Amino acid sequence: MEKQRLNPVLVYILAIIGLLCCCFGGLGFILAGAAFLIAHTQIKKVADNPEAFDLDSVKVMKTAKIVALVILVINLLYLCWSIYSIQAMGGWDAYMEQVTKMMEEFQNAQNQ
């Protein structure tokens, strides 16, 4: 009987896109979390029936799970930092006022 192979491509794609979405206030935790859950579910299936799966593909899936976990932690830390920064400025309204002021200064500098 041929052993099943795990395919970690989806996990890697979601994790990498999640890392890129970290720039948007840490919102990449959604994709990184999904990647981690997919990898965790696949590894859990292997634990139930280890003889049916190719060991090399299991190792690759475990590596993908670790990558997804690291990116998930990075995104969650950045999300916490973003929330803290907004609160430190005085809330969302003060943050948006600061952004508007910076945009106006940039436009004035471009026009000169």
Side-chain angles (χ1 to χ4, degrees):
M1 184 170 107
E2 191 171 321
K3 294 188 176 193
Q4 295 178 4
R5 295 185 54 83
L6 298 177
N7 190 359
V9 173
L10 179 63
V11 175
Y12 280 123
I13 290 172
L14 288 174
I16 299 303
I17 294 173
L19 181 62
L20 296 176
C21 291
C22 180
C23 300
F24 303 117
L27 294 178
F29 79 91
I30 298 168
L31 295 173
F36 180 77
L37 288 175
I38 291 169
H40 183 72
T41 304
Q42 293 294 316
I43 292 173
K44 198 172 187 182
K45 271 200 287 189
V46 171
D48 292 341
N49 190 7
E51 303 87 28
F53 292 93
D54 180 37
L55 290 179
D56 290 335
S57 68
V58 173
K59 288 179 185 177
V60 173
M61 184 60 80
K62 286 182 180 180
T63 304
K65 180 181 175 184
I66 293 170
V67 168
L69 179 62
V70 168
I71 293 172
L72 178 64
V73 169
I74 290 170
N75 272 288
L76 289 175
L77 289 174
Y78 194 77
L79 178 66
C80 292
W81 182 80
S82 296
I83 291 170
Y84 172 76
S85 296
I86 290 170
Q87 291 301 319
M89 282 187 186
W92 184 255
D93 292 333
Y95 174 76
M96 291 307 295
E97 185 177 311
Q98 182 72 20
V99 169
T100 304
K101 181 180 173 185
M102 289 172 53
M103 288 177 64
E104 288 172 358
E105 288 175 5
F106 178 74
Q107 288 176 349
N108 289 338
Q110 291 292 322
N111 292 334
Q112 292 178 357

